[in-house]
Amino acid sequence: MRVIFLGPQGVGKGTQAALLGARFGIPALSTGEMLRSEVKRETEIGKKAGALMKRGDLVSDDVMLALIRNRLSESDAQAGFILDGFPRTTAQAEGLEGTLAHLNTRLNAAVLFKAPRDVLMARLSGRRTCPRCGANYNLVTHPPKAPGICDHDGVELIHRADDTPAAINHRLELYERQTAPLAEYYRKRGELREIDGTRPIEAVQQALVEALDSHRPAPSSVVAHRASQGSA
Ligand code: AMP
């Protein structure tokens, strides 16, 4: 399964990607996480990306495409992957298509998660993140078991530097301008699935699995068997 997740910040892409990845045994690749790791390790990319990220601006398409090209070539991504937060521009979507063609493969689906702006603002201001494993929590809707501590690794949760009201507003505006048009890009290719991201985590996951499943091509043996039985 090769899937990309589209949708505004705070709609739950990261949480859903982690759940779906665990369910299918494929990596959930968040470009935001990759960049935060580059910043922490003070790499050349990290030095360039840090200030842009803090303001909520996008990192350049060239840098992002190079990161993704390298990551998708790694062995754990060969059986499938979920891309969370990439592509964010048309140039990135076109670049991804080229990268996948080069790897002799293609996307199965692009999933668009949707929620109104007031829901996103409330979620992002209450969001707390684990700086080690990247797990996201929400103080109201999805609190950790022990206050302020990651359920998975016991690390103290942080409020991301770009989850301030000014940076949140800026990121949502950029999303509308640069990323939202990608829905049309994938709709035209017949690859778009739309999911209501306002529902509880388990309900969204269920809807996601059903949306992906109902579009999965039947194995040829099943099709042949059905044809021989005269059923659709
Ligand atoms: P996220 O964790 O997905 O909200 O990403 C955090 C920040 O990383 C974004 O606000 C951007 O500054 C940067 N970023 C992540 N993914 C991309 C991308 N595909 N293109 C450009 N910048 C990105």
Side-chain angles (χ1 to χ4, degrees):
M1 182 182 297
R2 292 169 189 83
V3 188
I4 62 164
F5 280 6
L6 300 170
Q9 293 79 357
V11 78
K13 300 187 299 295
T15 303
Q16 295 299 329
L19 288 173
L20 193 73
R23 183 186 284 257
F24 289 110
I26 52 176
L29 307 175
S30 150
T31 42
E33 275 304 306
M34 290 181 205
L35 289 169
R36 281 186 284 281
S37 153
E38 300 278 342
V39 171
K40 206 185 307 172
R41 289 184 287 121
E42 298 183 354
T43 63
E44 280 311 305
I45 289 180
K47 283 179 202 158
K48 281 189 212 148
L52 290 168
M53 291 170 73
K54 203 163 176 180
R55 285 200 302 268
D57 280 329
L58 292 186
V59 176
S60 79
D61 291 334
D62 289 351
V63 167
M64 296 313 301
L65 279 164
L67 266 184
I68 281 294
R69 231 175 272 134
N70 288 339
R71 188 61 187 88
L72 294 187
S73 309
E74 285 179 31
S75 58
D76 66 336
Q78 302 317 304
F81 55 78
I82 303 156
L83 280 183
D84 159 23
F86 184 95
R88 264 172 154 102
T89 64
T90 307
Q92 291 181 12
E94 289 167 353
L96 175 64
E97 226 172 290
T99 298
L100 292 178
H102 185 70
L103 294 170
N104 239 340
T105 185
R106 50 165 299 153
L107 283 182
N108 299 109
V111 182
L112 172 63
F113 294 89
K114 299 192 291 190
R117 194 170 174 122
D118 56 332
V119 171
L120 303 173
M121 291 297 287
R123 284 192 186 166
L124 289 167
S125 1
R127 178 157 79 175
R128 295 294 180 273
T129 304
C130 173
R132 183 177 296 166
C133 72
N136 282 324
Y137 300 86
N138 186 282
L139 296 182
V140 182
T141 55
H142 176 44
K145 290 185 187 124
I149 302 293
C150 180
D151 293 350
H152 307 294
D153 48 28
V155 168
E156 200 169 326
L157 301 176
I158 56 160
H159 192 192
R160 270 170 50 176
D162 58 353
D163 278 347
T164 60
I168 291 173
N169 264 317
H170 184 54
R171 285 154 68 211
L172 290 175
E173 272 157 27
L174 270 187
Y175 172 80
E176 283 307 324
R177 215 171 40 236
Q178 299 204 272
T179 311
L182 288 184
E184 212 36 52
Y185 179 95
Y186 289 107
R187 199 192 313 274
K188 279 191 191 137
R189 287 167 166 66
E191 290 165 354
L192 193 72
R193 321 271 177 268
E194 297 185 53
I195 301 277
D196 174 5
T198 60
R199 300 170 67 205
I201 291 172
E202 297 73 23
V204 175
Q205 179 72 191
Q206 183 64 30
L208 173 62
V209 170
E210 282 167 15
L212 292 173
D213 214 40
S214 64
H215 288 83
R216 197 182 295 172
S220 49
S221 56
V222 174
V223 173
H225 175 71
R226 282 186 187 154
S228 72
Q229 303 287 306
S231 62

